[in-house]
Amino acid sequence: NTTLGVETVAHALAHDPHGRVCLYGPPGTGKTALAAHLARQLGRPLLLRRASDLLSAWVGETEARISAMFRQAEREEAVLCLDEADSFLRDRRQARSSWEVTQVNELLTQLEDFRGLFVASTNLIDQLDAAALRRFDFKLRFDWLRPVQAMQLFLHYAEVFALSPDVAPDSLLSRLAAMSRLAPGDFAAQRRRLAALRGNGRHSDLLGALAQEVALKPGGNVGGMGFTA
């Protein structure tokens, strides 16, 4: 559920596979999955890096790792995806230490020279440096699933894992609609559980599991935890 159609962005990049894309929104909404999708569409490998891959306690080491990340992406002609990009692109006006500023400066400098496709994903768009945001060609907000999307994904999982339909379709849609803050990641989190139930699970089993996932999120109302057929 994005502010700009995924295929619109993919089509634009197919004609010119160079640029900078910022994906922002809540966890589990598909940001990293889109980066992988874009790489497949372009026929390129995906080079995924997270904050934990780059951050170092040694002075200058983080900057060196940032530089090496861009050089590797160039050598491999890979789509470079930096997850948790807010760790390196925080507003420099809020910096408390000089190394926080140098890390932002290093990433922006490398980004200026990079001729490939760079994808940054973040859950904290409001903390990003304004100068960094201006450098992105596309900024896509990822939001929670719309009820119809949730229904489509639910039926897909129900088919894949052979769940028995014990909830009326109208009731199923209304119950999914009542789950605010439902994301694709919540469905993906159920894969192992559903695999164990394959052939013996029911629609209500998946509904209950999704309700529990949503209830753990701040503001994740589910309109009641009980489900009946």
Side-chain angles (χ1 to χ4, degrees):
N1 183 12
T2 62
T3 51
L4 182 63
V6 169
E7 294 309 318
T8 299
V9 176
H11 181 72
L13 293 173
H15 289 280
D16 184 11
H18 306 88
R20 305 152 188 164
V21 181
C22 179
L23 313 177
Y24 65 98
T29 48
K31 299 184 293 296
T32 305
L34 177 57
H37 173 71
L38 291 175
R40 288 193 299 270
Q41 291 287 93
L42 296 173
R44 298 190 178 192
L46 176 69
L47 178 60
L48 176 63
R49 289 292 181 268
R50 296 183 172 87
S52 57
D53 299 319
L54 302 175
L55 289 172
S56 171
W58 301 102
V59 175
E61 179 64 21
T62 297
E63 290 84 347
R65 291 179 180 179
I66 290 173
S67 176
M69 172 184 70
F70 279 95
R71 301 292 79 77
Q72 181 180 353
E74 288 177 343
R75 289 194 307 272
E76 299 177 1
E77 297 185 345
V79 172
L80 175 57
C81 177
L82 178 60
D83 197 13
E84 304 165 339
D86 45 274
S87 298
F88 306 99
L89 292 175
R90 291 185 182 275
D91 192 334
R92 284 169 287 188
R93 295 172 300 178
Q94 308 299 324
R96 298 179 181 178
S97 305
S98 60
W99 56 264
E100 293 179 277
V101 176
T102 58
Q103 288 179 7
V104 176
N105 290 342
E106 178 65 24
L107 186 52
L108 293 181
T109 298
Q110 294 293 336
L111 191 55
E112 285 293 332
D113 295 335
F114 186 55
R115 294 295 173 261
L117 177 58
F118 176 77
V119 180
S121 68
T122 177
N123 304 331
L124 305 170
I125 188 70
D126 57 322
Q127 297 186 15
L128 264 59
D129 189 89
L133 279 175
R134 287 196 296 270
R135 286 171 164 81
F136 289 96
D137 308 304
F138 295 101
K139 304 178 186 68
L140 277 73
R141 171 173 171 77
F142 283 66
D143 213 334
W144 308 111
L145 290 170
R146 297 189 298 272
V148 172
Q149 292 177 316
M151 183 71 160
Q152 291 173 336
L153 198 52
F154 185 97
L155 294 177
H156 170 73
Y157 270 71
E159 179 181 0
V160 169
F161 293 99
L163 302 181
S164 300
D166 63 338
V167 180
D170 290 346
S171 179
L172 179 60
L173 180 59
S174 64
R175 290 171 185 176
L176 288 170
M179 295 185 200
S180 63
R181 309 195 177 209
L182 187 61
D186 298 319
F187 286 88
Q190 305 305 319
R191 286 182 179 275
R192 184 171 297 178
R193 175 178 178 173
L194 293 174
L197 293 173
R198 189 187 295 272
N200 297 308
R202 302 169 300 169
H203 282 192
S204 55
D205 294 322
L206 180 53
L207 277 172
L210 292 172
Q212 291 175 8
E213 292 286 341
V214 173
L216 293 173
K217 302 177 185 181
N221 301 321
V222 296
M225 289 288 288
F227 295 99
T228 58

